[in-house]
Amino acid sequence: MAERERDMKTYVLYNPKAGSGAGKDAAMKLRAVCTEELEFRDITAIESYADFFDRIGPSAKVILAGGDGTLNETISGMLDAGVTIPLGYIPCGSTNDFASSMGIPADIK
């Protein structure tokens, strides 16, 4: 039972270096306004994205606060682990080319 509960968590991955600290700032703003229980992870502490996604399981959800490079690494890790789970994206990089091209607003609200 505990394993299943862990799998159903929502993880917030943030890059503290993205956008001169904007990734960490966005994650902390999310923590302040969200009523759902979230598990926050600094991506610089994740040794292997594929291992991380293997560990959290197929029922987890992920919100990512970072830039284009962080998004690329995260999606690559998901693909390497063979998981297809929901991924939210808060663009916090210095350029946010992907978000701009997809019409994703940079404002967390």
Side-chain angles (χ1 to χ4, degrees):
M1 180 71 167
E3 186 71 19
R4 185 173 182 179
E5 289 175 356
R6 178 186 65 88
D7 288 349
M8 296 176 72
K9 280 187 181 177
T10 298
Y11 293 84
V12 178
L13 306 181
Y14 66 92
N15 183 347
K17 298 177 182 178
S20 300
K24 184 175 183 179
D25 291 345
M28 296 308 108
K29 286 178 186 176
L30 186 60
R31 178 179 281 178
V33 300
C34 192
T35 57
E36 184 178 342
E37 185 176 329
L38 303 171
E39 177 83 24
F40 288 80
R41 299 283 175 95
D42 176 338
I43 61 105
T44 60
I46 296 174
E47 292 182 31
S48 164
Y49 280 90
D51 289 345
F52 171 78
F53 285 108
D54 276 339
R55 222 174 28 258
I56 66 171
S59 298
K61 296 178 272 184
V62 172
I63 300 168
L64 175 66
D68 294 326
T70 308
L71 179 62
N72 182 39
E73 289 182 43
T74 302
I75 293 172
S76 293
M78 290 173 71
L79 292 171
D80 289 346
V83 298
T84 54
I85 59 176
L87 175 65
Y89 180 51
I90 302 170
C92 300
S94 51
T95 58
N96 300 315
D97 288 331
F98 175 78
S100 296
S101 69
M102 297 300 292
I104 301 171
D107 185 354
I108 191 171
K109 292 179 186 175

